Amino acid sequence: DAGVIQSPRHEVTEMGQEVTLRCKPISGHNSLFWYRQTMMRGLELLIYFNNNVPIDDSGMPEDRFSAKMPNASFSTLKIQPSEPRDSAVYFCASSPRTTRNEQFFGPGTRLTVL
Amino acid sequence: GQQVMQIPQYQHVQEGEDFTTYCNSSTTLSNIQWYKQRPGGHPVFLIQLVKSGEVKKQKRLTFQFGEAKKNSSLHITATQTTDVGTYFCAGPGQAGTALIFGKGTTLSVSS
């Protein structure tokens, strides 16, 4: 079975540009999570969805960040406009329909904003 | 707010030495999970502990959940170069299914 799929794997953009990161969770998983990882701040939860509904977006840094999950097999994280401090690795993870809450992470998108 | 702390932040060992990382939560946890992230990779689930005082082993790795369910430890016996990476503990947040991750312990091993 395919794991969590993220695209692109690498993104280099200039400050002010719009960036869209994409995620396809594991089929049948009902929870989806977006994380940001940096050396300074570690692994931060940005937002998570349960059954395609955003449950907690308190980790979204500011209004420049938005996330959607239009269906059970696709989610996007958008940054508009991007800034150099947004440079990080962004992970998407999904969790199965259990109470164990084990999360399966995608390979991540390494974002560099110049 | 709820916090999950890990120590040490970094640890370097010689191959064959033992290694331990400790995890402490500011609140009682219903369960605790451990993940490993290899350099350049993504976090991978290792194990979940649920019961107070629970101890689980995976080959050379021993995981323990404290009696008060507020702390946990991961011990690696006789480290190997394949053990290199960052080990994270994570506990459920008060909001439901979301996990709160510690900042991790990065292990390096020299042969």
Side-chain angles (χ1 to χ4, degrees):
Chain A
D1 288 338
V4 175
I5 299 172
Q6 290 187 248
S7 64
R9 294 293 308 276
H10 302 273
E11 177 81 24
V12 180
T13 190
E14 292 187 346
M15 183 174 62
Q17 296 298 306
E18 177 179 297
V19 175
T20 299
L21 310 181
R22 298 173 176 79
C23 175
K24 176 178 171 56
I26 293 173
S27 177
H29 285 193
N30 68 334
S31 296
L32 183 140
F33 308 81
W34 282 101
Y35 292 90
R36 177 173 68 177
Q37 186 175 43
T38 61
M39 289 293 292
M40 290 296 296
R41 301 175 68 89
L43 195 60
E44 301 174 276
L45 176 67
L46 300 177
I47 186 171
Y48 83 94
F49 296 83
N50 198 37
N51 293 323
N52 311 338
V53 176
I55 302 300
D56 182 6
D57 65 354
S58 60
M60 296 287 261
E62 38 194 283
D63 291 345
R64 297 184 297 106
F65 286 69
S66 63
K68 294 182 179 180
M69 192 165 186
N71 57 63
S73 60
F74 184 66
S75 177
T76 59
L77 177 67
K78 184 177 294 186
I79 308 172
Q80 166 63 19
S82 58
E83 297 182 2
R85 60 194 169 118
D86 302 330
S87 298
V89 179
Y90 291 81
F91 289 106
C92 174
S94 68
S95 187
R97 293 179 182 270
T98 72
T99 58
R100 292 181 62 211
N101 300 330
E102 170 187 348
Q103 295 186 12
F104 296 80
F105 283 75
T109 295
R110 181 173 295 277
L111 173 65
T112 302
V113 183
L114 303 175
Chain B
Q2 185 179 359
Q3 292 186 335
V4 175
M5 311 294 289
Q6 274 187 264
I7 55 170
Q9 186 175 0
Y10 300 98
Q11 181 81 56
H12 177 78
V13 299
Q14 294 288 321
E15 190 173 23
E17 292 182 338
D18 292 356
F19 159 77
T20 304
T21 173
Y22 299 92
C23 178
N24 289 283
S25 170
S26 58
T27 61
T28 300
L29 300 170
S30 59
N31 67 77
I32 195 155
Q33 300 180 21
W34 285 91
Y35 292 76
K36 176 183 179 181
Q37 183 177 19
R38 294 182 185 274
H42 57 277
V44 175
F45 175 82
L46 293 177
I47 205 163
Q48 177 178 256
L49 304 172
V50 179
K51 299 177 182 178
S52 170
E54 187 172 13
V55 178
K56 287 189 176 181
K57 291 190 176 184
Q58 290 180 349
K59 297 183 180 178
R60 296 177 294 104
L61 278 61
T62 301
F63 303 84
Q64 188 166 10
F65 201 8
E67 294 291 339
K69 302 183 75 173
K70 294 183 70 174
N71 59 72
S72 180
S73 64
L74 158 59
H75 179 82
I76 302 178
T77 303
T79 54
Q80 300 175 358
T81 55
T82 54
D83 296 324
V84 164
T86 300
Y87 294 85
F88 295 95
C89 63
Q94 296 171 344
T97 58
L99 289 176
I100 297 177
F101 281 80
K103 293 204 180 303
T105 297
T106 298
L107 172 66
S108 59
V109 180
S110 54
S111 56

